[in-house]
Amino acid sequence: DLLCIMANEGKSSPPLFGDDDDELAQSPEPEEQKFSDVSTEEPDKGLFDDDDEEKGNAEEGEKEPEAEIPSLDVSDVPKKVAKSEEIVKEAEATDEMKEEEEEAEDDGGDEFTMEITVSDPQKVGDGMNAYMTYQVKTQTNMPDFKSHKSAVRRRFSDFLALHSKLAEKSEYAGRIIPPAPEKSVLGMTKVKFSKEESTGSVDFIGKRKTILQRFVTRVSKHPVLRKDDDFREFLEKTEDLPKAKGTSALSGAGFMRLVRNVGDAVSKMTSKMEESDQWFEEKQLELDALEGHFKRLVTGIDSLVTHRKDLSTATEAFSKTVALLGTVEEHEPLARAMSQLSDVEGKIDRLHQEQSSKDYFIFGELIREYIGLIAGIKACFSQRVKLFHAWQSAQATLLKKRETETKLKASGKTEKLPDIEKEIKDWEEKVDNGQKEFDKISKRIKEEVAKFESTRVKEFKSSLINYLETLMLTQRQLISHWESFLPEAKAIV
Amino acid sequence: RSSDIPYVLSSPKMMDGADHPDKLGGESKTTTDVDLTDTTLVVDISDALSEQDKVKFTVHTKTSLPEFKKSDFSVVRLHEEFVWLHDRYFENEDYAGVLIPPAPPRPDFDESREKLYKLGQAEGTLTKVEFQKMKAELEAEYLATFKKTVAMHEVFLSRLAAHPTLRNDSNFKVFLEYEKELNVRGKNKKERFGSLWKDLTKSVDEALVSSHKDSDEFFEHEKTFLVEYNKRVKEAARAGFRMTRSKKGVADCHIPIVATVATLGTSDTHGLSKFLNKLSDLLEKVRKLEGRVASDEDLKLTDLLRYYTDDTKAGKDLLYRRTRSMVNFENTNKALEKARTKGKDVATAESNQQKAKDKFEHLSEVGKRELQDFKTRRLAAFKKGLVELSELELKHARQQIKLIAEFIGVAGSLEYTPAKAIEQ
């Protein structure tokens, strides 16, 4: 029933099958369950989402919900925080210092350059076990890298695994993790079984390559995420990365993920918090509306892409009939004109094809990516809610402990008092930390969203202008084709 | 007499707000370059009304010819009556050598109606703006179809009125003058016979080309040419229709995109509002341009091909009639020989043979002129259509570039406010 619903919801990636990896050949590995519990592998179509990938992110920042909050003292902070690291080794960092280290996190990343290209898809193997690898070339002057230039080969599941890791790290709680590339079982199956250059598979691989490129580019642009160790390893380790188990939906790990996601979805819907900060409520509404508009837009763009492809086919067919008509024409100049018209229409057919692909890759991809980013923001919101609940639950426990203390005092059973008092002290600390974490994530989310919004303005403008320029180019080419035809038409009689 | 009448339709004026969807104003819908010096009989369609399943054409005649009762008069005709008129010419042996102008195609609003119906079904899934726009597009399409059918019916009549032989036909006079309805319903049976005969002529292509090798080079060439050409131009017309329809589809795709971009613009609070709103306007203009390209291509190219599909068919019919006449002539020859050998009924046979010979020769003479005129017309029409098509394509493409360039020029300066400071 669960799986049935999922199968119905899924469009391009029915969740029952693995992706390009030969997961189907593997038997589920129960010992990996622990990994998958914690892992926030892309939900293979959450029950309540359409295309959003990031629902699984609702999990991060939380290892065990009801039990102890992991003490988020500074030793858990990622090692690559700048020089201020030494300062904050103390057990009780002041808020001021915490702020400093956060700023250092944010600013330190921007001074370095990093450029990554994903290219050269190669098919490895045949049949069900086949997969594609892509070359990932990096050029950077970031200090931790072994060399300024590196080139490695990675497969799709490596990208997914990287995303997983980033999404699950608690130190990135509140950060917008760039959306993971979409899985597509149907597309990939075609590639596995297709001959070298069948257009269907070339299209699909081209699309996938673009998506992978955008993913790593966005990570590289994020001042905090770009310094991540796993990211660096992904970019420079020449050996193959350990196979990401648990990225398949079919394994036992995958099944557990399914169950988790449902639980998550349900809890997401039912769990609310008393929102003291209007900003979050308003922003949630705003993002929901934006997401809705984007989804409509993508549907519209996809329809445009398809229609243009149809036009290209119809134009080609027309071009052929015109050529034939030219061959039976008795009047020489008109015969020439028809033959020329046929050429022109043939060239126009190719123009339509190219424009269609630009519709998809420039306009369509922009919106699709932003749908993913919004999902990422929503995941952060969820994380915040979880932290809030953790904090509240700690407060509840503290209250209970205090009540117990009062009772003990009242009843005179003073032997147990020291224990209780110690517990109270622990829980007071936990409550304190819980609040700090909640405040921290709230602040961080606001920063990330602000950055998102300003980036969005820039990216939208530049991508949309880029797209318009492709339209202009198409028109210019049309002009040159018709200009070449006009004299032939005039010469008919 | 002018032989360079292209009979090609120019683009009907795009509808403006003043046009009723179902009625046309009193404007001339075609720019058929009819010989303006001959105003003794001028026929046009001054009005048309679309009612349920029928279109009512107001056929208006201005004439100085004495055989007509009045000099300026109008009647209302239905499509079936035009077909009746065509069939009268078609079946008339006197016109065997003449290239009979093809009957106008039946007014066909099925596609428009179906689209409007589908739109109605989908109304719930669209925003109000989108729905209104799509409806407006379909109404424009409907109007364009309507204008086209009027033009086709008018061209048919204009050609008849301009033809020195055909204009004098008594049925034509009745068609133009008779104020009541021509009872063409009873013609159904006859039409069925007529269509049977028409079907026969379809399979006659081979007969034309293979048997009866003509000693006359001109007609021999015409046979081969018209059969092949008719086939190819029909395919081209069909393919052209699919292409222009597909192009219109691409233009229409912009509607939901324009609407959503506009919504994004209106709801934006981070500095993209003006940009997106202007972008939406731009895309709307692009959509309209692409729609114009599609409809211009339809008129200049697809309609041209369609028209000459029908006209070359008329040419084939002429050749067929000539072949029949030739067979008839050959038969009377044989009959005369027989009569002479037998010495019986020689005078009758001689008379028959003479009649057949005269008929055949006259038909050939007229037919040759007609086909030569046809060629001239065809070349002129193709030149006009293709030149106008290219010029329109260039015009629209330049316009689109201009619009986009203007936008990009302004876009850089459109309101860009950096993100507000985070409220703590």
Side-chain angles (χ1 to χ4, degrees):
Chain A
D1 26 287
L2 192 74
L3 302 177
C4 281
I5 301 171
M6 302 283 282
N8 284 338
E9 285 289 324
K11 284 174 198 157
S12 61
S13 27
L16 291 182
F17 304 98
D19 67 320
D20 60 315
D21 303 335
D22 50 341
E23 245 85 63
L24 293 175
Q26 277 181 0
S27 51
E29 292 158 68
E31 56 271 22
E32 296 304 315
Q33 267 185 23
K34 193 160 181 213
F35 175 82
S36 77
D37 279 354
V38 169
S39 132
T40 53
E41 183 41 54
E42 303 343 294
D44 307 302
K45 294 312 179 215
L47 265 185
F48 303 94
D49 281 355
D50 301 350
D51 317 306
D52 298 26
E53 319 288 295
E54 305 291 65
K55 279 211 56 227
N57 288 335
E59 291 235 46
E60 50 274 13
E62 164 216 23
K63 309 270 191 274
E64 281 135 312
E66 270 10 298
E68 301 186 37
I69 301 164
S71 58
L72 290 165
D73 66 7
V74 294
S75 54
D76 278 355
V77 162
K79 306 136 201 158
K80 289 302 170 220
V81 172
K83 289 64 183 179
S84 48
E85 194 185 3
E86 290 93 19
I87 309 168
V88 297
K89 273 289 186 209
E90 295 142 27
E92 282 168 4
T94 60
D95 275 2
E96 212 182 88
M97 286 183 179
K98 274 234 164 99
E99 250 189 276
E100 258 174 36
E101 111 206 347
E102 273 159 20
E103 274 163 24
E105 275 178 6
D106 287 353
D107 294 345
D110 286 349
E111 346 171 317
F112 300 108
T113 58
M114 181 184 271
E115 280 206 19
I116 313 181
T117 43
V118 176
S119 60
D120 188 33
Q122 295 289 340
K123 188 172 174 185
V124 176
D126 270 312
M128 278 311 298
N129 296 327
Y131 58 94
M132 302 293 297
T133 62
Y134 305 82
Q135 185 189 59
V136 181
K137 265 200 298 212
T138 311
Q139 208 162 328
T140 179
N141 58 358
M142 286 187 68
D144 296 311
F145 278 74
K146 293 195 196 104
S147 124
H148 285 308
K149 287 193 184 173
S150 56
V152 298
R153 291 207 75 91
R154 294 285 176 250
R155 52 191 292 188
F156 183 78
S157 55
D158 294 332
F159 289 79
L160 290 185
L162 173 64
H163 176 274
S164 261
K165 288 185 187 145
L166 293 173
E168 87 192 34
K169 286 185 182 172
S170 61
E171 58 263 37
Y172 301 143
R175 304 281 181 202
I176 305 172
I177 312 292
E182 246 181 48
K183 284 199 209 177
S184 166
V185 173
L186 186 63
M188 205 48 220
T189 313
K190 281 188 192 160
V191 170
K192 287 190 212 200
F193 290 102
S194 73
K195 289 183 286 216
E196 265 308 313
E197 297 282 312
S198 80
T199 33
S201 66
V202 165
D203 268 348
F204 173 76
I205 292 300
K207 285 178 185 172
R208 179 161 270 197
K209 184 170 75 72
T210 308
I211 293 169
L212 297 175
Q213 172 77 63
R214 281 197 183 227
F215 170 66
V216 290
T217 305
R218 264 198 206 276
V219 176
S220 76
K221 290 212 166 86
H222 195 290
V224 174
L225 297 178
R226 76 200 316 226
K227 293 185 271 175
D228 182 81
D229 284 341
D230 287 313
F231 185 49
R232 186 168 36 79
E233 185 187 61
F234 175 90
L235 293 174
E236 65 174 4
K237 183 172 174 183
T238 41
E239 299 85 18
D240 285 349
L241 294 177
K243 189 98 147 38
K245 296 165 183 174
T247 54
S248 156
L250 198 60
S251 58
F255 183 75
M256 283 311 298
R257 238 190 341 272
L258 244 60
V259 174
R260 280 247 126 177
N261 290 338
V262 175
D264 234 343
V266 172
S267 71
K268 204 172 177 189
M269 276 177 48
T270 55
S271 76
K272 279 190 175 167
M273 53 181 273
E274 298 123 38
E275 188 55 78
S276 54
D277 191 341
Q278 271 305 92
W279 186 95
F280 284 91
E281 244 181 57
E282 287 167 5
K283 202 49 78 173
Q284 176 83 35
L285 288 171
E286 191 187 312
L287 289 173
D288 281 339
L290 197 60
E291 186 182 39
H293 296 320
F294 283 164
K295 283 185 176 168
R296 286 198 105 215
L297 191 51
V298 161
T299 308
I301 296 171
D302 282 344
S303 171
L304 177 63
V305 169
T306 310
H307 276 80
R308 244 197 255 277
K309 282 206 189 122
D310 290 344
L311 175 57
S312 159
T313 311
T315 308
E316 196 201 353
F318 177 66
S319 158
K320 290 197 176 124
T321 63
V322 170
L324 285 173
L325 184 58
T327 60
V328 302
E329 175 56 57
E330 56 176 355
H331 184 72
E332 184 48 41
L334 180 52
R336 263 204 309 276
M338 295 313 278
S339 155
Q340 178 80 329
L341 179 65
S342 170
D343 275 347
V344 164
E345 293 289 356
K347 288 181 185 144
I348 292 176
D349 139 46
R350 279 190 286 277
L351 279 183
H352 290 315
Q353 263 181 16
E354 282 163 21
Q355 185 60 55
S356 169
S357 116
K358 283 162 193 169
D359 293 341
Y360 184 88
F361 281 110
I362 300 179
F363 198 7
E365 269 313 301
L366 170 73
I367 308 298
R368 256 182 280 267
E369 237 205 315
Y370 270 82
I371 292 175
L373 285 169
I374 289 178
I377 299 176
K378 283 182 164 182
C380 294
F381 277 47
S382 280
Q383 292 170 334
R384 177 175 170 270
V385 170
K386 289 223 167 75
L387 285 183
F388 180 79
H389 285 310
W391 170 31
Q392 295 300 305
S393 117
Q395 269 187 328
T397 313
L398 177 63
L399 215 63
K400 277 201 205 121
K401 301 286 177 190
R402 285 203 174 125
E403 277 170 16
T404 314
E405 185 195 35
T406 316
K407 280 193 197 137
L408 285 179
K409 280 188 179 159
S411 69
K413 293 185 186 158
T414 49
E415 334 77 61
K416 296 204 178 139
L417 264 176
D419 285 337
I420 265 293
E421 270 156 17
K422 178 156 191 313
E423 278 179 23
I424 287 176
K425 243 194 158 183
D426 281 342
W427 281 97
E428 277 174 348
E429 208 183 300
K430 288 198 170 105
V431 166
D432 198 41
N433 281 330
Q435 179 170 14
K436 288 203 180 107
E437 282 309 304
F438 176 74
D439 289 342
K440 182 165 106 174
I441 202 179
S442 300
K443 179 164 176 259
R444 209 174 251 182
I445 289 177
K446 287 182 180 177
E447 286 166 4
E448 290 277 308
V449 168
K451 212 169 6 155
F452 165 80
E453 283 166 355
S454 71
T455 310
R456 176 162 90 89
V457 172
K458 283 193 220 124
E459 281 192 1
F460 263 59
K461 277 193 178 179
S462 89
S463 290
L464 290 171
I465 288 180
N466 189 7
Y467 173 66
L468 291 175
E469 281 170 352
T470 69
L471 290 179
M472 278 208 296
L473 177 64
T474 299
Q475 296 301 310
R476 278 197 203 104
Q477 286 169 316
L478 273 174
I479 287 176
S480 84
H481 294 326
W482 286 108
E483 273 178 347
S484 75
F485 174 69
L486 189 53
E488 286 283 353
K490 288 185 171 164
I492 288 173
V493 189
Chain B
R1 120 184 130 70
S2 72
S3 55
D4 52 358
I5 303 169
Y7 296 121
V8 169
L9 314 163
S10 74
S11 55
K13 304 201 181 93
M14 287 302 283
M15 75 161 180
D16 53 34
D19 285 20
H20 293 263
D22 290 338
K23 249 182 135 183
L24 278 180
E27 53 184 37
S28 138
K29 268 68 61 197
T30 63
T31 56
T32 55
D33 300 30
V34 179
D35 186 3
L36 291 170
T37 57
D38 184 351
T39 53
T40 51
L41 179 66
V42 177
V43 183
D44 69 88
I45 294 181
S46 58
D47 200 0
L49 190 57
S50 171
E51 250 183 31
Q52 300 278 45
D53 260 345
K54 296 200 168 125
V55 180
K56 289 188 173 160
F57 302 95
T58 304
V59 178
H60 168 245
T61 311
K62 253 196 179 141
T63 179
S64 54
L65 296 174
E67 48 264 38
F68 288 93
K69 297 194 188 94
K70 302 185 205 156
S71 62
D72 195 324
F73 51 91
S74 294
V75 294
V76 176
R77 291 284 174 247
L78 299 175
H79 170 74
E80 290 74 25
E81 291 166 298
F82 286 75
V83 175
W84 168 88
L85 179 61
H86 169 268
D87 290 349
R88 301 289 74 67
Y89 280 107
F90 195 69
E91 291 162 355
N92 192 330
E93 293 281 336
D94 290 347
Y95 307 135
V98 178
L99 202 143
I100 312 291
R106 190 180 68 86
D108 185 6
F109 299 104
D110 289 347
E111 199 179 319
S112 269
R113 271 198 217 104
E114 201 185 307
K115 278 188 185 175
L116 268 166
Y117 174 73
K118 278 190 186 154
L119 180 65
Q121 300 290 88
E123 186 172 0
T125 65
L126 301 166
T127 65
K128 196 159 182 216
V129 169
E130 281 176 16
F131 178 75
Q132 291 300 342
K133 277 204 189 146
M134 285 181 168
K135 186 150 168 276
E137 275 306 314
L138 286 181
E139 282 170 358
E141 270 179 40
Y142 180 91
L143 184 64
T145 309
F146 185 71
K147 283 185 176 175
K148 235 195 252 187
T149 193
V150 168
M152 306 282 320
H153 284 72
E154 191 180 80
V155 160
F156 171 66
L157 296 177
S158 305
R159 270 179 82 171
L160 293 171
H163 195 286
T165 315
L166 300 179
R167 78 206 311 235
N168 299 319
D169 184 83
S170 55
N171 290 310
F172 190 40
K173 186 162 171 291
V174 168
F175 178 92
L176 292 175
E177 250 192 344
Y178 186 62
E179 273 154 21
K180 299 204 193 119
E181 225 179 272
L182 302 172
N183 189 3
V184 298
R185 302 257 178 80
K187 302 291 174 189
N188 273 343
K189 273 193 191 157
K190 208 168 183 184
E191 267 173 22
R192 258 185 261 136
F193 274 117
S195 71
L196 189 69
W197 191 76
K198 280 174 198 165
D199 287 339
L200 223 72
T201 58
K202 276 186 199 153
S203 64
V204 133
D205 283 358
E206 291 161 4
L208 272 182
V209 180
S210 56
S211 68
H212 287 101
K213 203 78 172 143
D214 217 316
S215 53
D216 188 324
E217 260 182 42
F218 174 81
F219 283 103
E220 190 51 38
H221 164 79
E222 286 298 306
K223 264 188 229 171
T224 333
F225 171 67
L226 282 177
V227 166
E228 266 308 299
Y229 193 85
N230 176 252
K231 194 165 106 189
R232 298 297 180 200
V233 80
K234 199 187 212 171
E235 284 164 7
R238 223 180 264 150
F241 171 70
R242 281 192 215 113
M243 180 179 76
T244 52
R245 188 174 53 179
S246 182
K247 195 167 276 197
K248 183 71 189 353
V250 167
D252 287 345
C253 271
H254 286 75
I255 293 178
I257 294 176
V258 165
T260 314
V261 171
T263 313
L264 283 169
T266 326
S267 57
D268 186 85
T269 51
H270 303 290
L272 272 179
S273 177
K274 279 204 192 122
F275 180 87
L276 289 175
N277 281 327
K278 277 212 153 61
L279 176 65
S280 168
D281 288 342
L282 169 68
L283 290 177
E284 172 67 6
K285 289 187 186 133
V286 167
R287 168 180 87 83
K288 287 246 163 85
L289 267 179
E290 294 282 341
R292 283 300 293 273
V293 172
S295 79
D296 284 345
E297 278 186 10
D298 189 48
L299 283 159
K300 300 296 173 190
L301 192 52
T302 309
D303 274 357
L304 174 69
L305 296 169
R306 266 204 216 104
Y307 196 78
Y308 280 91
T309 306
D310 291 342
D311 235 8
T312 46
K313 166 100 182 5
K316 279 201 308 184
D317 291 339
L318 194 167
L319 291 176
Y320 178 71
R321 291 193 294 266
R322 179 178 171 274
T323 303
R324 260 193 337 171
S325 166
M326 180 161 59
V327 167
N328 195 41
F329 174 38
E330 284 170 6
N331 288 341
T332 58
N333 264 340
K334 289 183 190 147
L336 180 58
E337 271 180 46
K338 242 193 204 166
R340 282 190 177 141
T341 24
K342 281 192 183 162
K344 227 172 98 172
D345 293 323
V346 174
T348 332
E350 269 177 359
S351 149
N352 285 341
Q353 193 260 19
Q354 190 59 45
K355 274 193 208 138
K357 181 166 183 273
D358 288 341
K359 193 160 174 220
F360 171 69
E361 282 176 355
H362 175 74
L363 198 161
S364 297
E365 191 192 320
V366 173
K368 187 166 187 175
R369 258 204 326 267
E370 289 277 307
L371 288 171
Q372 282 166 333
D373 286 349
F374 171 68
K375 176 172 177 174
T376 315
R377 270 202 328 268
R378 183 173 69 85
L379 297 180
F382 269 74
K383 175 178 177 176
K384 182 167 185 279
L386 293 175
V387 166
E388 286 176 0
L389 171 73
S390 313
E391 287 172 346
L392 284 166
E393 296 270 1
L394 289 170
K395 176 176 164 214
H396 295 321
R398 287 185 185 126
Q399 177 67 1
Q400 196 177 127
I401 291 177
K402 178 163 173 273
L403 287 171
I404 297 177
E406 266 170 18
F407 173 84
I408 293 181
V410 181
S413 64
L414 288 172
E415 161 208 6
Y416 165 51
T417 54
K420 304 187 198 118
I422 308 157
E423 289 115 325
Q424 283 298 332

